[in-house]
Amino acid sequence: HRPNYVVGRTMLEEDRIPPHWVRLINEPGIVDELWLPSQFLVSAFRESGVHTRVRIFVVPEAIDTHHYDPDVVVADAAVLRASKRDCGTDCYKFLSNFKWEFRKGWDVLLAAYFLEFSRADKVALYLKTYLYGMPEFEARSVPHITARIQEFAMQTLGLSVARLPLFFVLPEERAARDMPALYK
């Protein structure tokens, strides 16, 4: 028994969708409309062959604006202390939150940061990350992650470690309720 109306909701980080998805979505009576979080994904679905008879709407990801209210949230004290100690109070801070796997673009991020800035600049990059697929003791090890970053800078970018702008690895897990403080 089919419901009267079917809405498909998905999110993926790809520029195309698998052919079997296209066939399924295009089959009459499977879905009446799709909700996707961005125009980029709408284009990816259409360019992959999703028929125009399927209505697609951009429905952005929801966020609790009270939980993330910058006027209410108190910044993460440990991150602030490290930043002030190592970079000063006028330091410009960048934050990236991702699991360490190639498709997340860590190489592009690090290349852009390391080639644009040097140790002389008042900047700091905070990497909330972990080595995906590694044993726990290694996955969240600051020395293991730092070594990978330095190896990339030296071998791929040809930079000396002494030249690199400040970066900090934040590998520890954080509860969802603690993330607004980190972002602040």
Side-chain angles (χ1 to χ4, degrees):
H1 175 258
R2 183 185 189 281
N4 291 337
Y5 200 80
V6 177
V7 175
R9 167 73 170 97
T10 190
M11 199 288 289
L12 65 157
E13 300 161 335
E14 304 291 337
D15 61 355
R16 66 189 64 85
I17 64 172
H20 68 278
W21 283 26
V22 175
R23 283 191 301 277
L24 186 64
I25 293 167
N26 284 342
E27 188 175 312
I30 297 296
V31 295
D32 297 297
E33 64 186 58
L34 287 173
W35 293 0
L36 304 174
S38 68
Q39 187 58 49
F40 171 81
L41 279 179
V42 172
S43 297
F45 273 64
R46 291 290 187 219
E47 289 171 15
S48 294
V50 171
H51 196 277
T52 55
R53 79 157 177 77
V54 178
R55 297 172 51 189
I56 301 180
F57 297 94
V58 174
V59 180
E61 295 289 321
I63 187 166
D64 181 342
T65 56
H66 299 290
H67 186 67
Y68 285 87
D69 185 344
D71 294 330
V72 175
V73 172
V74 176
D76 184 297
V79 172
L80 277 179
R81 279 193 303 278
S83 178
K84 286 178 185 174
R85 178 187 68 238
D86 296 319
C87 196
T89 55
D90 60 343
C91 180
Y92 191 89
K93 295 175 261 327
F94 299 94
L95 170 67
S96 188
N97 180 2
F98 62 98
K99 69 180 174 182
W100 189 281
E101 60 181 350
F102 192 72
R103 72 181 186 90
K104 296 296 185 176
W106 60 263
D107 57 328
V108 176
L109 170 69
L110 293 177
Y113 180 69
F114 289 154
L115 294 173
E116 180 66 27
F117 301 108
S118 73
R119 180 71 70 176
D121 293 305
K122 302 288 271 174
V123 296
L125 173 62
Y126 293 86
L127 300 167
K128 183 189 173 303
T129 190
Y130 64 96
L131 301 175
Y132 181 69
M134 301 298 286
E136 187 65 25
F137 72 91
E138 189 175 337
R140 298 195 183 279
S141 164
V142 172
H144 277 94
I145 299 169
T146 300
R148 285 183 180 220
I149 293 169
Q150 291 173 339
E151 180 181 324
F152 172 77
M154 291 184 301
Q155 291 182 359
T156 303
L157 304 176
L159 301 174
S160 72
V161 171
R163 179 215 179 275
L164 297 181
L166 287 176
F167 67 90
F168 301 95
V169 176
L170 309 170
E172 58 276 344
E173 288 188 58
R174 293 170 191 260
R177 71 178 177 279
D178 298 331
M179 291 306 294
L182 178 62
Y183 291 141
K184 175 108 181 204

